Amino acid sequence: MKSKFFSRHSRILALMTTFLICFMVAVVVYLTSDISSKRAQLQQLEAQLEEIEMENSEIEYLINEADEAELFEHLARDRGYVYPDEKIFYNVTPGN
């Protein structure tokens, strides 16, 4: 009778161990996927941060060091204004 008892429990233990291993593998796969998506998101946010820092440094320069004419020219160009005889060329190649 003891052998049936141990045999039954060993099967249950084997099933539980198999289930636990499968669960742990699934968790590792999920976490690996989540980590890679978070890294991609981090890289995107770092690129946005770099762009904003460049804009901030340009604005700081205009506020602290630029003369009035340079400041007004920058503000006018931001709004799309140009000099009367000036020609503006835009780069339309793909990727730019």
Side-chain angles (χ1 to χ4, degrees), residues 1-69:
M1 182 142 183
K2 279 189 173 181
S3 64
K4 282 186 176 183
F5 179 77
F6 287 118
S7 175
R8 185 174 161 199
H9 282 290
S10 64
R11 286 185 194 152
I12 292 172
L13 184 61
L15 284 173
M16 289 176 59
T17 304
T18 304
F19 174 75
L20 182 63
I21 290 172
C22 290
F23 177 74
M24 290 172 60
V25 167
V27 167
V28 168
V29 168
Y30 171 76
L31 290 177
T32 302
S33 171
D34 192 41
I35 288 171
S36 65
S37 69
K38 295 296 181 186
R39 282 185 178 157
Q41 184 180 8
L42 176 63
Q43 288 177 343
Q44 183 182 21
L45 290 172
E46 285 175 341
Q48 288 177 354
L49 176 63
E50 185 177 331
E51 185 177 319
I52 290 171
E53 286 176 342
M54 288 175 52
E55 290 175 10
N56 283 348
S57 65
E58 182 179 347
I59 291 170
E60 284 179 9
Y61 167 77
L62 290 171
I63 290 173
N64 297 328
E65 299 177 24
D67 60 352
E68 192 173 281

